[in-house]
């Protein structure tokens, strides 16, 4: 086994025991009376009974795949383990940069669960599933304001949306209000620009149907929480302020695929043209009712030439990808059922439902929802919950007076990425207190200098608030991270195990594994001193001829009779273009081949087996019986190296 494989196995074992360590808390009642007493002193360092039993119980749990080791035997193993770790520390292997970097990498991974609020994540997961079961149709009015806008601009936008809501609540039609006030460009008609864009009617605020993850989280939440027919209170998103009118909620469409017959109605069609188009689609539908196949009608009449050549088939869609009329029509159909004509903003359609996949159970959807959540900004709720907990547990305090003084002293150069902390070096008041740590104004100024980025159209104080929020988050995470070992004994024990385990691996590699490979003289000496351990058992010099086409067997039998040399047989087969025969000469021990194990080993004999389940014949020719004899080193190198490693380890422990 090479070193990389050994390390992989070692790390897998660490990962498994890490899980056990976090979950197992098995202590015998009798331990409580002597658990704090020293059980054994190893290289001058005491180990308590509690500490030893924690390790023992962890590695000898009933769920372990290994046989449970008796306590006295395990104590011997534990002592040897600790002695090796102590030697590695004496050799200062724990100060090597590569070791420290590797341990830090494992610590980062092991610490991640402590910075996730699983209860928040679970709630978000359940919420996402419940919303996935419903499609919502809503209209909105948007007053745009940048998420980093100055307070005055933000308040002006808020006041404007409040006033619009009052008008709507007092009787103004919501669609007319959207057309008049909304900053969402899709609300208004898009005028035709010859040669560049076609006319497109505005949606008057109607966003159609959508489901979970289709909208930004605050908007989605407001829509799902607003009853049908009612209008939400102002909702803040990164785009600005919205009011939302929910017009429908229904069971989820899921993922649907339809084929359609399409008759276009131009936006500027006259009443006569529109009526003619209506007559055309109704006549097509009548033909289908009278027996014409849907596919024939597509080929003959559909004006969507892109899909007509494919039976009218359209790409699979979810509720937010198509106009609302398509959603309702598709949901009303059974598989292979054809709809009556459906009118949309584009014209008329006759739909045929090809397939539809509705949401499954929570267990069926869980993995997909988790993946979506990881990519969605709503997971910031989990992180923020952790930050809030850290603040509460460690009595977080922000000195507002010191903050205002520093903000006033930092000039607008910070918006051009040219601020220097030296310009405020005299500001040394405490800005933040967290636990037993204090962070000064100059600490934050240094953070600003390091993290400033060029900003456009952003108020200086708004930008500094952003940086301060990021700074507070970073020091909270760093403070908690620095205290994980003292706060969570299981984590401390796990980190000690990784520390000791990596040291042990590195030292064992140096003392045993690599040493056994590099020390060729020592290996040869060991091999010759233990020559009796590396013996060939009785072997047979034989050839196995396998014929996978029985009609070629008679030719092979004749060649075996006439030639003792396998090479001559192979040449003759090649000359006759016989490819169904495989020749396997070699020296075989008992157990190497199932056919050889069934015959008497007698020089000069030939035995034949014919399969009763396939076109296969096996012929065995035995040339010579070889008595037991010593192996050469190159014939037993793998086993010899493994034994030499065991020897080196025993000698190392003895020393």
């Amino acid at each position: 086994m090479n070193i990389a494989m050994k390390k992989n196995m070692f790390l897998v074992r660490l990962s498994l025991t890490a899980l056990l360590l976090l979950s197992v808390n098995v202590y015998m009642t009798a331990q409580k009376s002597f658990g704090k007493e020293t059980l054994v002193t190893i290289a001058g360092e005491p180990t308590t009974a509690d500490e030893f039993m924690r390790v023992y119980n962890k590695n000898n749990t009933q769920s372990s795949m290994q046989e449970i080791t008796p306590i006295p035997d395990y104590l011997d193993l534990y002592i040897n383990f600790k002695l090796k770790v102590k030697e590695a520390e004496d050799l200062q292997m724990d100060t090597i940069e590569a070791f420290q970097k590797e341990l830090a990498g494992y610590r980062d991974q092991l610490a991640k669960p402590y910075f996730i609020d699983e209860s928040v994540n679970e709630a978000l997961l359940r919420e996402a599933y419940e919303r996935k079961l419903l499609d919502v149709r809503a209209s909105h009015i948007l007053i745009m304001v940048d998420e980093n806008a100055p307070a005055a601009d933000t308040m002006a936008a808020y006041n404007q949306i409040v006033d619009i809501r009052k008008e709507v609540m007092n009787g103004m039609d919501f669609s007319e209000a959207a057309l008049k006030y909304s900053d969402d460009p899709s609300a208004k008609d898009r005028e035709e620009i010859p040669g560049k864009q076609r006319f497109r009617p505005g949606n008057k605020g109607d966003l159609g149907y959508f489901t979970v993850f289709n909208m930004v989280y605050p908007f989605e939440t407001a829509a799902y929480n607003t009853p049908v027919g009612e209008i939400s209170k102002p909702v803040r998103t990164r785009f600005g302020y919205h009011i939302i009118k929910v017009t429908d909620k229904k069971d989820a469409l899921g993922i649907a695929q339809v084929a359609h017959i399409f008759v276009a109605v131009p936006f500027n069609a006259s009443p006569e043209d529109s009526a003619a188009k209506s007559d055309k689609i109704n006549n097509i539908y009548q033909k289908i009712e009278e027996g014409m196949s849907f596919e024939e009608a597509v080929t003959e009449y559909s004006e969507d030439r892109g899909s007509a050549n494919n039976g009218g088939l359209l790409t699979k869609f979810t509720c937010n990808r198509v106009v609302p009329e398509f959603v309702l029509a598709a949901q009303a159909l059974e598989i292979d059922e054809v709809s009556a004509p459906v009118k949309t903003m584009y014209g008329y359609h006759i739909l045929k439902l090809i397939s539809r996949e509705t949401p499954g159970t929570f267990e069926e959807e869980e993995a997909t929802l988790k993946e979506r959540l990881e990519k969605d900004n709503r997971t910031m709720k989990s992180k923020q919950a952790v930050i809030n907990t850290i603040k509460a547990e460690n009595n977080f305090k922000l000195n507002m007076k010191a903050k205002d003084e520093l903000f006033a002293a930092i000039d607008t150069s910070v918006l051009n990425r040219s601020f220097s902390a030296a310009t405020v070096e005299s500001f040394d008041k405490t800005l933040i207190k967290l636990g037993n740590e204090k962070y000064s104004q100059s600490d934050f100024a240094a953070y600003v200098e390091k993290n400033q980025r060029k900003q456009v159209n952003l108020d200086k104080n708004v930008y500094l608030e952003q940086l301060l929020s990021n700074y507070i988050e970073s020091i909270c995470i760093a403070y908690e991270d620095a205290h994980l070992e003292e706060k969570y004994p299981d984590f401390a024990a796990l980190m000690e195990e990784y520390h000791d385990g990596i040291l042990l691996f590195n030292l064992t590699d140096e003392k045993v594994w690599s040493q056994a490979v590099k020390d060729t003289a020592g290996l040869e000496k060991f091999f010759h001193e233990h020559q009796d351990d590396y013996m060939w058992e009785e072997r047979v010099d034989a050839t196995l001829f396998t014929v996978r086409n029985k009609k070629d067997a008679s030719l092979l039998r004749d060649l075996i009779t006439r030639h003792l040399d396998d090479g001559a047989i192979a040449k003759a087969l090649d000359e006759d273009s016989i490819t169904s025969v495989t020749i396997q000469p070699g020296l075989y021990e008992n157990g190497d081949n199932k056919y050889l194990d069934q015959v008497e080993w007698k020089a000069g004999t030939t035995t034949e087996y014919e399969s009763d389940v396939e076109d296969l014949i096996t012929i065995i020719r035995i040339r010579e019986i070889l008595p037991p004899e010593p192996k050469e080193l190159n014939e037993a190198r793998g086993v010899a190296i493994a034994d030499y490693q065991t020897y080196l380890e025993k000698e190392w422990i003895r020393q």
Side-chain angles (χ1 to χ4, degrees):
M1 184 183 299
N2 62 34
I3 300 303
M5 290 176 65
K6 285 179 181 287
K7 191 159 195 176
N8 285 339
M9 290 180 65
F10 167 78
L11 294 177
V12 167
R13 176 167 169 75
L14 270 187
S15 298
L16 290 171
T17 56
L19 292 173
L20 291 171
L21 180 60
L22 291 173
S23 61
V24 175
N25 188 23
V26 182
Y27 284 94
M28 296 182 296
T29 304
Q31 273 186 259
K32 296 180 180 178
S33 60
F34 61 84
K36 302 302 181 184
E37 295 182 17
T38 297
L39 175 67
V40 61
T41 300
I42 306 170
E45 296 186 4
T47 297
T48 66
D50 271 351
E51 182 181 352
F52 171 75
M53 287 307 299
R54 175 188 58 77
V55 178
Y56 175 80
N57 286 325
K58 170 181 67 65
N59 287 300
N60 287 276
T61 176
Q62 292 291 339
S63 63
S64 172
M65 292 178 288
Q66 298 180 350
E67 185 177 337
I68 294 178
T69 306
I71 289 179
D73 294 345
Y74 193 82
L75 181 58
D76 289 337
L77 295 173
Y78 181 79
I79 291 170
N80 289 340
F81 171 75
K82 284 295 186 181
L83 284 171
K84 293 174 184 177
V85 172
K86 183 64 169 60
E87 180 177 353
E89 291 173 340
D90 290 343
L91 293 172
Q92 297 187 326
M93 295 180 74
D94 56 340
T95 65
I96 298 173
E97 182 180 356
F99 166 80
Q100 294 180 341
K101 184 176 181 180
E102 184 176 9
L103 184 62
Y106 287 122
R107 190 184 187 282
D108 287 344
Q109 292 300 314
L110 296 170
K112 282 183 178 179
Y114 295 91
F115 296 98
I116 297 172
D117 191 317
E118 290 295 348
S119 63
V120 173
N121 276 358
E122 180 64 23
L124 287 171
L125 189 63
R126 291 284 176 179
E127 177 186 77
Y129 176 70
E130 294 300 325
R131 291 179 180 179
K132 187 180 179 70
L133 301 178
L134 285 177
D135 293 340
V136 177
R137 185 176 183 180
S139 299
H140 82 135
I141 297 171
L142 168 67
I143 299 301
M144 296 181 68
V145 61
D146 191 274
E147 58 184 335
N148 298 316
D153 293 348
T154 301
M155 183 56 69
Y158 176 78
N159 289 335
Q160 186 178 356
I161 201 73
V162 167
D163 290 341
I164 295 169
R165 186 175 187 274
K166 287 178 181 177
E167 284 193 59
V168 172
M169 298 299 288
N170 288 332
M172 185 177 187
D173 182 74
F174 194 93
S175 60
E176 293 303 317
L179 193 61
K180 180 177 180 180
Y181 296 119
S182 185
D183 290 332
D184 181 348
S186 70
K188 300 174 177 60
D189 293 345
R190 184 179 69 177
E191 298 300 330
E192 181 181 8
I193 301 176
K196 292 186 178 181
Q197 71 178 28
R198 290 181 294 180
F199 173 83
R200 182 185 179 92
N203 60 26
K204 296 183 179 180
D206 185 4
L207 300 173
Y209 286 97
F210 54 87
T211 188
V212 64
F213 299 119
N214 292 157
M215 301 292 185
V216 292
Y217 184 57
F219 189 98
E220 174 196 302
T221 297
Y224 273 93
N225 290 341
T226 300
V228 174
E230 296 190 14
I231 298 169
S232 73
K233 292 183 178 180
V235 180
R236 182 71 159 103
T237 72
R238 66 174 183 265
F239 304 107
Y241 283 101
H242 314 249
I243 54 173
I244 303 167
K245 181 178 181 180
V246 176
T247 54
D248 189 23
K249 290 182 182 179
K250 62 175 189 60
D251 291 341
L253 170 70
I255 302 173
Q257 186 171 35
V258 302
H260 79 147
I261 299 167
F262 176 57
V263 173
V265 178
F267 297 122
N268 57 355
S270 66
E272 293 79 10
D273 289 340
S274 295
K277 293 288 187 177
S278 177
D279 289 342
K280 179 179 179 179
I281 198 71
N282 286 323
N283 291 335
I284 296 171
Y285 183 66
Q286 183 64 34
K287 284 184 173 291
I288 295 173
E289 289 278 277
E290 292 171 354
M292 186 179 197
S293 75
F294 180 86
E295 290 70 26
E296 286 178 315
V298 168
T299 303
E300 184 73 22
Y301 303 116
S302 182
E303 296 177 15
D304 179 2
R305 303 320 304 171
S307 68
N309 294 330
N310 192 28
L313 194 66
L314 300 176
T315 303
K316 291 183 178 183
F317 57 84
T318 52
C319 67
N320 65 311
R321 307 298 295 178
V322 292
V323 292
E325 295 84 359
F326 255 54
V327 175
L328 295 172
Q331 196 160 20
L333 295 174
E334 300 293 333
I335 301 298
D336 292 332
E337 185 181 0
V338 176
S339 75
V342 176
K343 190 174 190 310
T344 71
M345 61 189 294
Y346 305 106
Y348 292 98
H349 314 256
I350 299 173
L351 306 184
K352 179 180 181 179
L353 183 63
I354 306 301
S355 67
R356 183 173 164 221
E357 305 166 34
T358 55
T361 64
F362 177 79
E363 289 72 23
E364 291 169 338
E365 299 289 343
E366 185 175 9
T368 302
L369 290 172
K370 278 184 176 179
E371 186 176 343
R372 291 294 302 271
L373 278 171
E374 288 174 0
K375 300 175 183 178
D376 194 85
N377 62 5
R378 71 189 68 195
T379 55
M380 291 300 295
K381 289 180 69 174
S382 174
K383 185 175 183 180
Q384 192 56 54
V386 172
I387 299 297
N388 292 340
T389 299
I390 295 171
K391 287 181 177 181
E393 290 179 348
N394 298 284
N395 197 25
F396 171 86
K397 286 185 172 59
L398 174 63
N399 186 334
M400 295 300 295
K401 184 176 180 181
K403 185 203 85 167
D404 292 342
E405 289 176 354
L406 184 61
F407 277 25
I410 296 176
D411 60 24
T412 55
S413 63
V414 71
L415 301 176
N416 298 316
R417 201 184 175 188
S418 57
F419 166 73
S420 171
T423 60
V424 292
E425 61 183 356
S426 62
F427 286 71
D428 58 359
K429 291 180 182 177
T430 296
L431 179 64
I432 296 168
K433 289 182 180 179
L434 183 66
N436 54 8
E437 296 290 337
K438 294 180 180 180
Y439 305 86
S440 68
Q441 293 168 313
S442 57
D443 291 333
F444 175 59
Y447 176 87
V448 171
E449 179 180 337
K450 181 179 179 180
N451 293 277
Q452 60 186 328
R453 299 290 182 269
K454 192 175 181 68
Q455 304 297 320
V456 179
N457 299 324
L458 186 61
D459 180 79
K460 180 201 72 170
N461 285 346
V462 170
Y463 182 46
L464 289 177
E465 288 286 1
Q466 288 180 14
L467 289 173
L468 180 59
S469 177
N470 294 340
Y471 179 64
I472 290 171
E473 181 180 298
S474 69
I475 64 175
C476 285
I477 296 295
Y479 185 88
E480 181 76 359
D481 187 68
H483 292 80
L484 284 178
E485 280 82 356
E486 67 181 71
K487 187 175 179 181
Y488 301 103
D490 283 348
F491 180 78
L494 186 55
M495 283 309 304
E496 180 182 1
E497 180 169 347
Y498 268 72
H499 171 277
D500 293 352
I502 297 170
L503 276 182
L504 177 59
F505 177 89
N506 292 342
L507 184 61
T508 305
D509 180 32
E510 180 180 302
K511 292 278 189 178
V512 178
W513 299 328
S514 294
Q515 177 66 16
V517 175
K518 292 185 294 186
D519 183 14
T520 55
L523 176 62
E524 289 179 4
K525 182 175 182 292
F526 174 83
F527 179 77
H528 290 302
E529 288 176 351
H530 299 81
Q531 183 70 71
D532 291 345
D533 295 335
Y534 307 102
M535 296 287 292
W536 288 115
E537 297 178 8
E538 184 179 61
R539 291 178 293 167
V540 60
D541 181 0
T543 299
L544 280 74
F545 301 90
T546 304
V547 189
R548 292 199 169 272
N549 189 338
K550 292 179 181 178
K551 67 182 180 62
D552 296 326
S554 59
L555 173 62
L556 176 62
R557 293 186 193 102
D558 181 59
L559 290 173
I560 292 173
T561 302
R562 290 191 290 113
H563 298 286
L564 292 176
D565 180 51
D566 294 337
I569 296 173
K571 183 178 179 181
L573 291 170
D574 185 56
E575 288 174 351
D576 288 342
S577 301
I578 303 298
T579 60
S580 64
V581 178
T582 301
I583 303 175
Q584 296 175 275
L587 300 177
Y588 297 89
E589 284 185 308
N590 188 39
D592 286 347
N593 182 274
K594 66 178 182 179
Y595 295 112
L596 279 166
D597 290 347
Q598 297 175 47
V599 302
E600 180 185 0
W601 287 7
K602 185 176 180 180
T605 61
T606 300
T607 308
E608 184 173 318
Y609 289 94
E610 183 173 351
S611 175
D612 58 359
V613 295
E614 58 179 324
D615 191 8
L616 177 69
I617 293 177
T618 301
I619 301 174
I620 302 168
R621 179 161 71 181
I622 296 178
R623 279 184 290 274
E624 184 182 1
I625 312 301
L626 304 177
E629 61 180 335
K631 293 181 180 180
E632 297 294 330
L633 177 57
N634 66 327
E635 295 175 318
R637 181 172 295 276
V639 176
I641 287 176
D643 291 344
Y644 187 42
Q645 289 173 341
T646 302
Y647 166 77
L648 289 175
E649 185 165 12
K650 287 179 179 178
E651 283 298 299
W652 174 29
I653 293 172
R654 182 183 61 79
Q655 294 167 11

